Amino acid sequence: MYAARNLTPGFILRFAAKPVFVFAAYATFVTCLYELAGLRFLALPFVPISLLGTAVAFYVGFKNNSSYERLWEARKLWGAFVNDSRTFTVQLLDYLQPSGQLDAEALKEHQRILVYRHIAYINCLRIQLRQRKVWEEKHDPFAAIVTEKTPFVNQNLLKEIKQFLHDDEAEWLYNKSNTATHILRKQSSHLRHLHESGCVETFKQVELGRLIQAFYDHQGACERIKGYPFPRQYAFFSEVFVWLLAGVLPFGLVGELSKLGEVYVWMTIPMSVLISWVFLVMEVVGDRSENPFENSVNDVPMTAICRNIEIDLREMLGEKDIPGRIYPVRNIIM
Amino acid sequence: MYAARNLTPGFILRFAAKPVFVFAAYATFVTCLYELAGLRFLALPFVPISLLGTAVAFYVGFKNNSSYERLWEARKLWGAFVNDSRTFTVQLLDYLQPSGQLDAEALKEHQRILVYRHIAYINCLRIQLRQRKVWEEKHDPFAAIVTEKTPFVNQNLLKEIKQFLHDDEAEWLYNKSNTATHILRKQSSHLRHLHESGCVETFKQVELGRLIQAFYDHQGACERIKGYPFPRQYAFFSEVFVWLLAGVLPFGLVGELSKLGEVYVWMTIPMSVLISWVFLVMEVVGDRSENPFENSVNDVPMTAICRNIEIDLREMLGEKDIPGRIYPVRNIIM
Amino acid sequence: MYAARNLTPGFILRFAAKPVFVFAAYATFVTCLYELAGLRFLALPFVPISLLGTAVAFYVGFKNNSSYERLWEARKLWGAFVNDSRTFTVQLLDYLQPSGQLDAEALKEHQRILVYRHIAYINCLRIQLRQRKVWEEKHDPFAAIVTEKTPFVNQNLLKEIKQFLHDDEAEWLYNKSNTATHILRKQSSHLRHLHESGCVETFKQVELGRLIQAFYDHQGACERIKGYPFPRQYAFFSEVFVWLLAGVLPFGLVGELSKLGEVYVWMTIPMSVLISWVFLVMEVVGDRSENPFENSVNDVPMTAICRNIEIDLREMLGEKDIPGRIYPVRNIIM
Amino acid sequence: MYAARNLTPGFILRFAAKPVFVFAAYATFVTCLYELAGLRFLALPFVPISLLGTAVAFYVGFKNNSSYERLWEARKLWGAFVNDSRTFTVQLLDYLQPSGQLDAEALKEHQRILVYRHIAYINCLRIQLRQRKVWEEKHDPFAAIVTEKTPFVNQNLLKEIKQFLHDDEAEWLYNKSNTATHILRKQSSHLRHLHESGCVETFKQVELGRLIQAFYDHQGACERIKGYPFPRQYAFFSEVFVWLLAGVLPFGLVGELSKLGEVYVWMTIPMSVLISWVFLVMEVVGDRSENPFENSVNDVPMTAICRNIEIDLREMLGEKDIPGRIYPVRNIIM
Amino acid sequence: MYAARNLTPGFILRFAAKPVFVFAAYATFVTCLYELAGLRFLALPFVPISLLGTAVAFYVGFKNNSSYERLWEARKLWGAFVNDSRTFTVQLLDYLQPSGQLDAEALKEHQRILVYRHIAYINCLRIQLRQRKVWEEKHDPFAAIVTEKTPFVNQNLLKEIKQFLHDDEAEWLYNKSNTATHILRKQSSHLRHLHESGCVETFKQVELGRLIQAFYDHQGACERIKGYPFPRQYAFFSEVFVWLLAGVLPFGLVGELSKLGEVYVWMTIPMSVLISWVFLVMEVVGDRSENPFENSVNDVPMTAICRNIEIDLREMLGEKDIPGRIYPVRNIIM
């Protein structure tokens, strides 16, 4: 996530430089053909192009809106992880009780294991979601910025979860096809054992089971956003339309400007660049926001969220030696 | 689902070739009438056509949006099947307990039967949803691609569910008017028997019953999307409007271009094709996305999702010999 | 519901004929005044009319969207009736148990009565919703088609529910001001009696009570859509705006076309008809979809849904002699 | 709520007369300055005004949409009151049981008191919501119609609730800062007493408590809509923009029409009135719908809904002497 | 929140003055270059600028819509705090019962402590949300008005919660990294102690636990809105586009007006200011509404809501000496 109010000039330059150059070169080429090579039939009326532009603006607006909804849904899901992690911990601490088989001290250790396994779960899911899918393999200025500027890297999954789990358990889980799914499975069976030991009443076991269900729901929704891109038939044509529009714009502008006089024709170049660039940026902003788990600058800041959850939960356990919050590095927080 | 980032040129060609040809032929015909046959009164002013185009863009945008919402809802429903299948299995494993009537070993077999019947349910629903409805019988380039390129076929329902069910039960279920509905009915009565055998407490039986309710909800929502198309009054006129617009466009363009001079008139053909094609593609993309269960390239990838559920569930049962994930064939995953 | 992919030419003709004639007559009249009577000051510039058209397109688009949402909500509610009817029946069959006061045979009969009463409920609600409200009394081509073409009629409520209820109960319920509401009330008190007889545990009685609550919610939502039309202040002005636009269009077109030459002026007639018709159809399609329970061709197919529910539920009771599905008659399914 | 299909001419006249007069006077003034006073520099090009108009249409469309959502949410909330009132009554009748301390007859009286107190609650909330807030104090044609035409008045809160409550209780509640809130509080403590008398099991008490929670939710949502207007920064500028647009329109029209010839200039007046009026009506319709609890003609018909609830609930109690439904008076139902 | 129906002229002036001046200066400069310096090639055709304006209007409309949704969600969340606070208090009063260990008097004191701690929670959350984040540090006329006109200041968190909590507890909580989170944690463990003392049945303890869960959900959602701004890539370019449009507008207007004649050229200045200002205000209104917890005039009025909750809850406890409601100060209510 970009965490400053305004984008820096460098950021915009990187973003804008290449298409501006392409549009300028193209418009210059068209204008030269018209003006220098004298191909006067290249001039087109602008009103039909205006109709085309309006239709394209509709379509790009629709894509922008849908992409934003995907991003916002992803952010809400990680917000839900924060909320439900707090609730889960509070319930683990207040719904379990010592029994004949398990004294207060032993129960406390079980509670610690359960909370640590939950922290492992959250981090495991984060790493799983940050793996690349095929439809993301494309030169992307937003991703390039992250790679260059920030020290966040996809940590090794096994190493990460070993921080919070017993080594054997971590390795057993690591070998499952979807590790996060099986961590939750483990939480559930741990609670069954505590139920069998008399430490949790049926009703409270089921209440905790509903939180596990909620975690499966949030996880599945994240996996859906990750695994099901904005439908390609919609996304692809949006880009095609913008490039087609940019392709005919100089012809229409040459036509419109030549009406005003010879000298105006060269204004085709800045106007063409300006309008094409606005449409392209609209398209690109939507396009780069549609996948919020791709190590790009528009990502949901999962690393920071995971750390915040860890801090809250370990404070609830009464621990002292707790790592600090994660702050933005050069305005980017992951 | 189309699983690559960009559509291939072949895909687009197939998609674009026929209408481009039709539009080109029509525009050529109109231009010849005007220019060669000298029917000058065919030229029309463009501004009113522009107003028409704006109104049509609104309407097509509305259809696109609604179609996308149908597709996205369908995808969410299958995401919910993934989540609830995981929860259902975890609860079957952790909420049942051996009793006097049923020892641990026997209970384990019951759990296996319940989980396998759930896999049968998911696959049965998938096959039921992939049957064709009357409003889909139309030449559809998206469907043609699938038929040609990919080996996915609608497997025989009975054969499919026999993999996961006892043969007698499979046949009894197959003869019901809605097999999936009765598989869930069977799950519920199986749980009643386990309740009567003392293996599941009332409270937990009801909790599992709520998941069965959730499956009925998701199934019913899929059947609603399948059985209730985007209302024809909305859908049909969208197509009519686009064709009407395409029909008057060359007249307007001839008018606008003839103002610039004789030589420009022939530019009617490429401009007419371009604008008509953009509107048509907008319409067609929405039109082809509105029904997400029709064996078309825009389908929700139910086959892959069913397999993922099968893998997760059988891993939870501790099985070893598990089939692999389904990967896209020529960029298409069903 | 119109169940074919495309509307038939006859359907469109019926739909289009009258306004096309009106628009044509009006445009002819205006053109004659201008051209024959020589009232040259009738010509107006088109650009301001274009602005008016854009604003109207916005407003009509908003109405279309809202109408579609009403229709779609109605369809979702009837989908929810399907899902919850299945769940209700499954729970009635699996959550009740014989007791000292009521043996297995007697319980089975109680279960049959409860399920039949539910079928009565669904059909009763359907008939109540199909009664006409005052804001629907208007000549409506969609309704005319249904009246003419299809044999579906509003059956007598009492006769209909007597099929599924004891005669005395049916008559007692029929005399309530809202029969459907009191059928559910009866279901609840029947379950109370079974609870008092020891056939249903407290927890399961409450679980069934939640489904009764769900039915009240769905019923109330249908009654809300039925009883609270799309607000008249929004709906009415949408129609007024379209007619105002259609009223000024010929003046603008005469002005625009007369610029091109004398001969073009008569093109006012087809262009005016075309643009006015597109705006009118957009308006009318939304207008006719906003009330989904009015015996019109855009209705939610409640009759077919009720039959599907009846089939599923009676199959669950193990009955054999079950009526068939309802199929579209001349492409219309109610 | 306006309950007829179309608005009457009188209604529209009232609505339209004043702005039409203002716009006409203004346009006449501008045209005279141009034509008679010869201030030719007042003519402006129309295309930039068209751009302004498009932007304003967007903004007004956004306001319309948001206002409609507020109105629709309010109507949904009152629909939810209907549904939950039915459920609450059914559960009061079927979840309470006689106990050693309270025989069947006494319980029946308690049930009657609880249901009557609920009717008091609904009516109390209605009256509280119909009080005026400061941002509604403005001349409003919709409200004027109601004041003039209909006999509905804000009844005295105390008098109204005394119909359904014991006098002492009514007065005690009336003196609370939010009476409705404390009626629900009273329902809850009444149920606690019945629980202590053994008339309601814990589980059923909590189930009824959830309905009380639902009533608090619906009440709070109504109070939110009432107490938090559509944000003024959005609402206010929408009106400003429309008036700015209406302010420049005649200048643009004079410019456009003068191109056609001297005689056309006077057409500025009707065209200016038409376009300004359409924009103004769009704005006003949204503006007057954004607050649905203000004794205006666009209000949610709470009085009628309260009566319907009263009828349903008293029929469920088996009462005979029940007041009738409320019908629209001169097409307006409150 | 601005609580009057219309904004005051002073408010608008403050809002409008600076950009109007900038736009006027810029347009004057451009017009002088064209007219006085004779740089005739500066005139541009307006139609392409119109297309640009339409696209920008789309984008700004999208931002407005999204910002409004953020604001509205924030307001809904605080509405939910009101509702759930009422429910929580009612349940605390009616679901707890004296036991052998805790007599009625002692229980009453526990109830008072729990309700007071809830008031502390609400106020603590309000103060935490009103802290500034980095993306808000910008000159903002809305915030300036508040700072100047109103006496509301961010009270010291510790001082505020000490009003409702025991001093030791307040200080212990104050030292946690997220105080609000740990107040809820404390509520939960207090209820566990009451459960262990036999004052609350398991089922009711879990029901109260669900409200604590709801508070975590609402709190987390507020923190999400606070901590995750409207994505900068969307927000920033919206502003850039508006300034680019404002930058080219005078060139286009000079072009369009010079067609009408020399004298018209100076009309560039007012028209440019008008159109630029409308676009800018649209942008700014959305921009200033997107963060509803920033001590700005568009804030959710949390201070007033907290006070209303305090009044309701203390009235429920039967207290007499209760502070009054908070009223707007110079039309602003925080």
Side-chain angles (χ1 to χ4, degrees), chain D residues 131-135 177-178 227, chain E residues 1-4 149-152 301-308 311 322-334:
Chain D
Q131 287 158 7
R132 288 237 147 188
K133 286 272 178 190
V134 62
W135 45 78
S177 65
N178 184 327
Chain E
M1 191 181 90
Y2 196 86
K149 280 196 181 166
T150 67
F152 305 102
M302 291 190 288
T303 310
I305 292 174
C306 283
R307 180 61 61 84
N308 287 351
I311 295 170
I322 295 169
R325 292 186 188 285
I326 290 174
Y327 291 100
V329 176
R330 305 201 203 180
N331 286 332
I332 290 164
I333 188 162
M334 297 299 281

Side-chain angles (χ1 to χ4, degrees), chain D residues 78 81 117-136 153-161 165 169-185 215-216 218-228 291-295 299-300 302-303 306 334, chain E residues 82-83 86 308 312 315-316 325:
Chain D
W78 277 88
F81 274 123
R117 196 185 285 119
H118 185 71
I119 302 174
Y121 167 69
I122 288 286
N123 281 287
C124 169
L125 182 60
R126 165 178 63 83
I127 293 170
Q128 286 183 195
L129 288 172
R130 286 245 165 99
Q131 287 158 7
R132 288 237 147 188
K133 286 272 178 190
V134 62
W135 45 78
E136 278 312 296
V153 286
N154 263 5
Q155 290 111 325
N156 180 275
L157 177 55
L158 182 59
K159 200 185 114 208
E160 188 81 1
I161 61 177
L165 295 174
E169 189 181 315
E171 263 156 54
W172 181 80
L173 287 164
Y174 182 68
N175 287 313
K176 294 295 182 180
S177 65
N178 184 327
T179 303
T181 302
H182 288 268
I183 299 182
L184 285 183
R185 159 95 187 79
F215 293 128
Y216 271 135
H218 306 331
Q219 173 186 338
C222 288
E223 289 171 353
R224 163 171 52 76
I225 291 174
K226 172 83 182 181
Y228 190 70
N291 296 307
F293 300 129
E294 304 302 328
N295 285 315
D299 262 31
V300 170
M302 291 190 288
T303 310
C306 283
M334 296 299 281
Chain E
V82 174
N83 310 340
R86 289 169 176 169
N308 287 351
D312 277 356
E315 274 192 345
M316 284 186 188
R325 292 186 188 285

Side-chain angles (χ1 to χ4, degrees), chain A residues 1-3 149-152 326-334:
Chain A
M1 190 181 91
Y2 196 86
K149 281 196 181 167
T150 66
F152 303 102
I326 290 174
Y327 290 99
V329 176
R330 305 200 202 181
N331 286 332
I332 290 165
I333 187 163
M334 296 298 281

Side-chain angles (χ1 to χ4, degrees), chain A residues 5 94 201 204 210 264, chain E residues 40 188 192 205 210 287:
Chain A
R5 185 167 165 90
D94 291 327
E201 298 166 83
K204 288 174 175 170
R210 283 181 193 164
Y264 289 94
Chain E
R40 294 295 149 127
S188 173
R192 176 165 54 90
Q205 182 196 2
R210 283 182 192 164
D287 203 66

Side-chain angles (χ1 to χ4, degrees), chain E residues 27 65 78 101 113 135 192 202 207 260 280:
Chain E
N65 210 47
W78 277 87
Q101 290 176 44
I113 291 171
W135 45 77
R192 176 165 54 90
T202 296
E207 190 73 8
L260 300 180
L280 187 79

Side-chain angles (χ1 to χ4, degrees), chain B residues 29-286:
Chain B
F29 177 70
V30 170
T31 314
C32 289
L33 279 187
Y34 177 85
E35 189 64 15
L36 305 185
L39 303 178
R40 294 294 150 127
F41 65 89
L42 289 178
L44 290 179
F46 199 83
V47 180
I49 293 173
S50 203
L51 170 59
L52 185 67
T54 303
V56 172
F58 262 92
Y59 200 82
V60 171
F62 158 64
K63 184 177 174 182
N64 264 336
N65 210 48
S66 308
S67 299
Y68 172 66
E69 273 166 29
R70 285 171 65 89
L71 183 60
W72 194 228
E73 190 193 354
R75 185 58 188 82
K76 278 191 171 167
L77 287 166
W78 277 86
F81 274 122
V82 173
N83 310 341
D84 288 337
S85 298
R86 288 168 176 170
T87 305
F88 189 55
T89 305
V90 166
Q91 291 191 356
L92 283 175
L93 297 176
D94 291 327
Y95 286 0
L96 306 187
Q97 67 212 13
S99 71
Q101 290 175 45
L102 224 63
D103 66 9
E105 203 56 32
L107 179 64
K108 215 166 168 183
E109 177 58 15
H110 275 281
Q111 287 170 327
R112 199 198 59 77
I113 291 170
L114 280 157
V115 172
Y116 268 63
R117 195 185 286 119
H118 185 71
I119 302 174
Y121 166 69
I122 288 287
N123 281 286
C124 169
L125 182 60
R126 165 177 64 83
I127 293 171
Q128 287 182 194
L129 288 173
R130 287 245 165 99
Q131 287 158 9
R132 287 237 148 188
K133 287 273 179 188
V134 60
W135 46 77
E136 277 311 295
E137 267 154 32
K138 194 187 169 180
H139 173 71
D140 176 349
F142 281 127
I145 285 164
V146 179
T147 317
E148 214 182 282
K149 280 194 180 168
T150 67
F152 304 102
V153 287
N154 264 5
Q155 291 112 324
N156 181 275
L157 177 55
L158 182 58
K159 200 184 114 208
E160 188 80 1
I161 61 176
K162 274 192 179 172
Q163 293 177 42
F164 304 104
L165 295 173
H166 192 280
D167 277 17
D168 289 355
E169 190 182 313
E171 263 158 53
W172 181 81
L173 287 164
Y174 182 68
N175 287 313
K176 295 294 182 181
S177 65
N178 186 327
T179 301
T181 301
H182 288 268
I183 299 182
L184 285 183
R185 159 95 186 82
K186 191 84 196 163
Q187 296 285 60
S188 173
S189 67
H190 196 157
L191 286 167
R192 176 165 53 90
H193 289 301
L194 290 170
H195 177 61
E196 286 161 7
S197 317
C199 295
V200 53
E201 297 166 83
T202 295
F203 194 69
K204 288 174 176 170
Q205 182 197 0
V206 169
E207 190 72 8
L208 284 159
R210 282 181 192 164
L211 281 171
I212 292 173
Q213 178 171 16
F215 293 129
Y216 271 135
D217 287 349
H218 306 331
Q219 173 185 338
C222 288
E223 289 171 354
R224 163 170 54 76
I225 291 174
K226 172 83 183 181
Y228 189 71
F230 184 63
R232 302 329 297 164
Q233 67 270 33
Y234 284 106
F236 177 74
F237 284 112
S238 168
E239 215 178 315
V240 168
F241 293 163
V242 167
W243 284 104
L244 284 175
L245 179 67
V248 296
L249 259 180
F251 299 99
L253 287 165
V254 154
E256 195 74 8
L257 285 157
S258 63
K259 286 189 208 161
L260 300 180
E262 200 74 359
V263 68
Y264 289 95
V265 168
W266 297 101
M267 293 304 284
T268 297
I269 301 167
M271 286 196 79
S272 186
V273 168
L274 175 68
I275 300 177
S276 301
W277 185 78
V278 167
F279 273 90
L280 187 79
V281 167
M282 284 183 185
E283 218 286 324
V284 168
V285 165

Side-chain angles (χ1 to χ4, degrees), chain E residues 52-114:
Chain E
L52 186 67
T54 303
V56 173
F58 262 92
Y59 200 81
V60 171
F62 159 64
K63 184 178 173 181
N64 264 336
N65 210 47
S66 308
S67 298
Y68 172 67
E69 273 166 30
R70 285 172 64 91
L71 183 60
W72 194 228
E73 190 193 353
R75 184 59 188 81
K76 278 191 172 168
L77 287 166
W78 277 87
F81 274 122
V82 174
N83 310 340
D84 287 339
S85 297
R86 289 169 176 169
T87 304
F88 189 55
T89 306
V90 166
Q91 292 190 358
L92 283 175
L93 297 176
D94 292 327
Y95 287 0
L96 306 188
Q97 67 213 12
S99 71
Q101 290 176 44
L102 224 63
D103 65 11
E105 204 54 34
L107 179 64
K108 215 167 168 182
E109 178 59 14
H110 275 281
Q111 286 170 327
R112 199 197 60 76
I113 291 171
L114 280 158

Side-chain angles (χ1 to χ4, degrees), chain C residues 130-318:
Chain C
R130 286 245 166 98
Q131 287 158 8
R132 287 236 148 189
K133 286 272 178 188
V134 61
W135 46 78
E136 277 312 294
E137 268 154 32
K138 193 187 169 179
H139 174 70
D140 177 348
F142 281 127
I145 285 164
V146 178
T147 317
E148 215 181 280
K149 280 193 180 169
T150 66
F152 303 102
V153 286
N154 264 5
Q155 291 112 325
N156 180 275
L157 176 56
L158 182 59
K159 200 184 115 210
E160 188 81 2
I161 62 176
K162 274 191 178 172
Q163 293 177 41
F164 304 104
L165 296 174
H166 192 279
D167 276 17
D168 289 354
E169 190 181 316
E171 263 157 53
W172 181 81
L173 287 164
Y174 182 69
N175 287 312
K176 295 295 182 181
S177 65
N178 186 327
T179 302
T181 302
H182 288 269
I183 299 182
L184 286 183
R185 158 95 187 81
K186 192 83 195 165
Q187 296 284 61
S188 174
S189 68
H190 195 157
L191 286 167
R192 176 165 53 90
H193 288 302
L194 290 171
H195 177 61
E196 287 162 6
S197 318
C199 295
V200 53
E201 297 167 83
T202 295
F203 193 68
K204 288 174 174 169
Q205 181 197 1
V206 169
E207 190 72 9
L208 284 159
R210 283 181 192 165
L211 281 171
I212 291 172
Q213 179 172 15
F215 293 129
Y216 271 134
D217 287 349
H218 306 332
Q219 173 185 339
C222 288
E223 289 171 353
R224 164 171 51 77
I225 291 174
K226 172 82 183 182
Y228 190 71
F230 184 64
R232 301 331 298 166
Q233 66 270 34
Y234 284 107
F236 176 75
F237 284 113
S238 168
E239 216 178 313
V240 168
F241 293 163
V242 167
W243 284 105
L244 284 176
L245 179 68
V248 296
L249 258 180
F251 299 98
L253 286 165
V254 155
E256 195 74 8
L257 285 157
S258 64
K259 286 189 208 160
L260 300 180
E262 201 74 359
V263 67
Y264 289 94
V265 168
W266 297 101
M267 294 304 284
T268 297
I269 301 166
M271 286 196 79
S272 185
V273 168
L274 175 68
I275 300 176
S276 302
W277 185 78
V278 167
F279 273 89
L280 187 79
V281 167
M282 284 182 184
E283 218 287 323
V284 169
V285 165
D287 202 68
R288 293 306 178 273
S289 308
E290 91 196 33
N291 296 306
F293 301 128
E294 305 302 328
N295 285 316
S296 131
V297 71
N298 296 324
D299 262 30
V300 171
M302 291 190 287
T303 310
I305 292 173
C306 283
R307 181 61 62 83
N308 287 352
I309 292 175
E310 189 181 338
I311 294 169
D312 277 356
L313 269 45
R314 292 173 73 177
E315 274 191 346
M316 284 186 188
L317 287 175

